[in-house]
Amino acid sequence: MFPLHVTLLVLLANIARCQYYDYDYQPFSMLGPSGPNCNKECDCPISFPSAMYCDSRKLKFVPVVPTGIKYLYLQNNLIEEIKAGVFDNVTDTLRWLVLDNNQITNAKIEKGTIDKLTALEKLFFSFNQITEAVIPPSKSLEELKMTNNKLSKFPSGLLNDKENLTSVSLQHNELTTEGIADAFKGPKKLLSLDLSHNKLKKLPAGVPSSLEILYADFNEIDKIGAGYLKKLPTLRYLRVSHNKLQDSGIPAGVFNVTSLLELDLSFNKLQSIPEINEQLEQLYLQANEINKFDLASFCKFTGPLNYSRLRHLRLDANNVTHTDMPPESANCLRQASDIMFE
């Protein structure tokens, strides 16, 4: 049996590679006959009677959900509104609500709908047209996805009572640094936060120390705050690619923390390799303006027990080649199986 910490790292690695959630969806032909407790617009397989599949049916409204349904799939429809009363039978039992890829706006979400769901664990609301976050009162909420909407802010306090929340995905919105100030302080168990493809100029402030994955690719970030990562002692994966980082915006040693396993700073404007910790395993620096290979960025000194654990290093699309590596690089980077220059 694998130790618990090894299992957790494997799980986090899988999360880090995935951007979209698998709903365990099956085509209609595989669902089998529906049970009697089901809305006529949907399917409720006898083999899985607590799930109601209403996805991909050109629905323009959320159908009334019958008693006993815990998992509701409404993705890939033409839904524009959520009328009061549709969740009245499942306010304290519905666990999953999937509303991805519809046409829902905040104005068409009536009171007495999502604001009554007290047992929800997963809310997926991506690819809609909401401008304000829609948060259920459930303290059991574990995963929140609102990607590809029109959110410009995520006010502080919305997640204060979400003690079980572990994952928040808000990529492809219009969020600004000011618009998310202290928004993620509340959930003390938060592990993963994705803010890629927004309008941030800084990494988010006030994130909980539990965070292990932070993605902020495709923003307008031009500097990292000194000591920022010191406040995140368990951070494993940090991605800040496709931003506006320059050497002047990278304080000395800011990435030299023992927890990091993966650091992505590709597609920025760096001219030198930032100092990293010997425990880092993957470093992505491609498509910058790096013009020198400083071994001290990886190893302050080298010995039998002092060397970099780096396995993958990308330096392609920069101004350095393998001939710029000093002879002692082989000892410092002894575990690197892939160093890419071109």
Side-chain angles (χ1 to χ4, degrees), residues 170-174 194-199 216-219:
L170 297 171
Q171 61 267 36
H172 289 279
N173 276 288
E174 301 171 8
D194 194 339
L195 295 167
S196 302
H197 293 271
N198 278 287
K199 297 180 179 181
D217 305 303
F218 291 93
N219 276 283

Side-chain angles (χ1 to χ4, degrees), residues 227-244:
Y228 183 87
L229 272 66
K230 297 291 186 182
K231 300 176 183 178
L232 301 173
T234 60
L235 192 66
R236 301 283 190 266
Y237 303 91
L238 176 61
R239 296 182 182 175
V240 201
S241 70
H242 295 269
N243 276 280
K244 298 180 179 181

Side-chain angles (χ1 to χ4, degrees), residues 56-85:
S56 307
R57 297 164 196 245
K58 299 181 180 180
L59 299 180
K60 292 188 176 181
F61 57 88
V62 174
V64 173
V65 184
T67 302
I69 298 301
K70 297 179 180 180
Y71 309 96
L72 178 58
Y73 301 89
L74 287 159
Q75 70 271 21
N76 304 326
N77 278 294
L78 303 173
I79 296 171
E80 298 179 353
E81 60 183 329
I82 305 177
K83 295 182 178 181

Side-chain angles (χ1 to χ4, degrees), residues 38-44 52-67 69 71-75 77-90 94 97-99 102 104 112-113 117:
C38 193
N39 191 290
K40 63 180 182 179
E41 303 283 351
C42 309
D43 287 294
C44 306
M52 189 162 84
Y53 293 88
C54 313
D55 52 296
S56 307
R57 297 164 196 245
K58 299 181 180 180
L59 299 180
K60 292 188 176 181
F61 57 88
V62 174
V64 173
V65 184
T67 302
I69 298 301
Y71 309 96
L72 178 58
Y73 301 89
L74 287 159
Q75 70 271 21
N77 278 294
L78 303 173
I79 296 171
E80 298 179 353
E81 60 183 329
I82 305 177
K83 295 182 178 181
V86 295
F87 299 130
D88 282 359
N89 296 319
V90 292
L94 190 65
L97 176 56
V98 182
L99 285 162
N102 280 286
I104 304 170
T113 55
L117 299 177

Side-chain angles (χ1 to χ4, degrees), residues 290-341:
I290 295 171
N291 52 36
K292 59 182 177 179
F293 191 100
D294 188 351
L295 198 60
S297 297
F298 307 97
C299 303
K300 292 300 182 184
F301 59 91
T302 305
L305 299 177
N306 300 102
Y307 57 91
S308 172
R309 274 63 175 180
L310 202 65
R311 297 180 181 276
H312 302 284
L313 171 60
R314 285 195 61 177
L315 284 165
D316 44 309
N318 280 286
N319 299 315
V320 289
T321 69
H322 69 278
T323 60
D324 295 306
M325 295 177 65
E328 55 269 30
S329 297
N331 199 13
C332 167
L333 299 172
R334 67 185 72 170
Q335 288 195 342
S337 60
D338 181 21
I339 301 178
M340 186 179 299
F341 285 99

